[in-house]
Amino acid sequence: MAVLFEHFKDVDIPAARKIAQAEGLAKGRAEGQKEGEERFARLAQFLLQDSRKDDLIKTFTDLEYRKRLYGEYHL
């Protein structure tokens, strides 16, 4: 059994876990940001296609209105 863990004797497990968690969090945030940007881009495209420029402008500052439009366009 000692042979199994021989390669890990110099590994700081808590530090390695902390690094892995930070990397996972950063990756998750990056993926979420990309998905959010793509979602907003699709909403903007729909609004422009539907000649709703004023609604698009309102989405820049009104989060609740933007959420309502996401629902309206099933995004």
Side-chain angles (χ1 to χ4, degrees):
M1 191 67 139
V3 175
L4 263 173
F5 295 104
E6 186 176 308
H7 299 290
F8 294 100
K9 64 183 174 187
D10 296 325
V11 175
D12 183 352
I13 300 295
R17 181 179 295 131
K18 197 172 198 175
I19 290 169
Q21 287 173 336
E23 289 172 352
L25 183 60
K27 182 179 178 185
R29 283 183 176 155
E31 289 173 3
Q33 183 176 1
K34 181 181 179 212
E35 288 174 12
E37 289 176 359
E38 290 171 352
R39 183 181 186 203
F40 184 75
R42 286 193 308 272
L43 177 61
Q45 288 174 333
F46 285 130
L47 292 171
L48 291 173
Q49 286 172 357
D50 292 345
S51 300
R52 296 177 66 179
K53 182 180 173 185
D54 291 338
D55 290 327
L56 175 58
I57 292 169
K58 188 173 179 179
T59 64
F60 299 148
T61 57
D62 190 334
L63 176 61
E64 292 304 315
Y65 190 67
R66 186 180 330 139
K67 287 179 182 178
R68 194 172 94 207
L69 291 173
Y70 283 142
E72 183 179 325
Y73 284 95
H74 306 287
L75 298 174

